[in-house]
Amino acid sequence: MTILPVSAWRRLGAAFALSLMPLAAAAGPTPAPGLVIAYHTRPANWLAFRSALKSDLLPRLEALRKAGALRDFHLLLARDVDAEGWNATALLDFAGAEGRARWDAATAEAPAGLTPQDLALTSAIDSTPVTLARGAAAERKPDHPVFLVIPYRVAVSDEAYLKYLDGYTLPQLKGWMGAGILSRYAIYMGEYPAGRPWTAMLVLEYADELALGERDRVKAQVRETLARNPAWKAISDDKSNIRSELSAVVASEAGAK
């Protein structure tokens, strides 16, 4: 992984800012159906539950991916035990409606993908149907990624929020990827949001622990460059009524070595 030094950012600043003029709405991928499942367990059961997820749920999800029901999936384990967050989260991107139907059939005997023994270790499970609104990945998959998962409560319509994402959020994410710290991002929009604590979720995959540590420095540099663009700066100056950020979770991939 290569993180650009400050001197390189200064040399690239003008070209980067120019590439964003005018700041047009980015064309996102066709929305794909998905599911975000948050698993909770009592602290005393965490070690046993983590082991069960790796030995039972992870192979089940991999089998569904190989069978074509899942386009992709990530099983994330929270770094810290924290009452404000989840212990594990499964991010499922289905292969269309047929993939979702195959998941439903598979979970008729394994709710949320878990065996009866695994379910006995849970204290709560939250399942949120979603669509993958925006996403991108670097060509090279990192060996030791670190994930930051940030839920949001959105206060505007889906159309207005997608416009905000394309005009404000995506330019920053692309800048972070260009700096070498971010290897993948995904933005999920919750379906049937009434009564749910979050309506959008940003999943950031950092290249490694060092890259996560560079987050604040690189974020400030990218924003300084983007602020030269009047369209981006106008959104930045007036984003308070768009969304509110909820408790973030730092996590690792269950299948990581």
Side-chain angles (χ1 to χ4, degrees):
M1 184 201 67
T2 301
I3 297 175
L4 294 181
V6 174
S7 59
W9 271 99
R10 288 172 178 168
R11 291 194 301 270
L12 291 174
F16 182 46
L18 183 61
S19 70
L20 292 167
M21 299 285 189
L23 193 60
T30 302
L35 188 66
V36 173
I37 309 174
Y39 302 93
H40 306 264
T41 187
R42 295 177 57 246
N45 291 334
W46 173 226
L47 293 179
F49 187 58
R50 182 175 62 187
S51 177
L53 292 175
K54 290 182 177 181
S55 61
D56 298 335
L57 181 57
L58 188 60
R60 186 187 301 273
L61 295 177
E62 182 60 33
L64 287 169
R65 186 189 66 80
K66 290 182 178 179
L70 293 175
R71 293 193 314 148
D72 195 13
F73 76 88
H74 292 273
L75 180 57
L76 306 182
L77 305 177
R79 171 181 291 180
D80 302 310
V81 177
D82 182 6
E84 293 297 322
W86 37 263
N87 296 103
T89 280
L91 307 173
L92 310 181
D93 295 330
F94 296 114
E98 181 180 350
R100 171 71 208 228
R102 294 175 69 176
W103 166 259
D104 291 342
T107 57
E109 298 180 358
L114 301 181
T115 66
Q117 294 78 13
D118 299 342
L119 286 168
L121 295 172
T122 66
S123 58
I125 299 175
D126 304 313
S127 298
T128 305
V130 297
T131 55
L132 178 61
R134 300 288 186 268
E139 291 186 7
R140 181 180 179 276
K141 183 175 177 62
D143 295 327
H144 304 287
V146 180
F147 290 79
L148 181 63
V149 181
I150 309 173
Y152 294 92
R153 186 176 291 111
V154 178
V156 296
S157 67
D158 287 356
E159 181 181 3
Y161 190 63
L162 290 175
K163 183 178 180 180
Y164 161 83
L165 290 176
D166 291 336
Y168 176 76
T169 305
L170 263 61
Q172 293 185 80
L173 299 180
K174 292 174 181 178
W176 302 351
M177 293 186 77
I181 66 168
L182 196 66
S183 55
R184 189 180 73 91
Y185 68 83
I187 302 173
Y188 295 96
M189 298 290 292
E191 299 288 337
Y192 324 114
R196 293 190 178 273
W198 60 268
T199 48
M201 177 175 286
L202 172 61
V203 180
L204 302 173
E205 180 184 289
Y206 287 87
D208 54 24
E209 194 71 33
L210 174 61
L212 179 62
E214 290 288 305
R215 167 182 163 83
D216 288 343
R217 181 182 71 83
V218 172
K219 179 169 66 173
Q221 291 176 339
V222 170
R223 286 184 175 179
E224 182 180 357
T225 300
L226 289 171
R228 302 171 191 170
N229 183 294
W232 184 89
K233 191 173 187 307
I235 302 175
S236 178
D237 291 342
D238 188 29
K239 65 179 186 295
S240 58
N241 296 324
I242 300 292
R243 84 289 185 269
S244 56
E245 184 174 330
L246 305 176
S247 297
V249 177
V250 179
S252 59
E253 192 119 41
K257 301 296 184 181

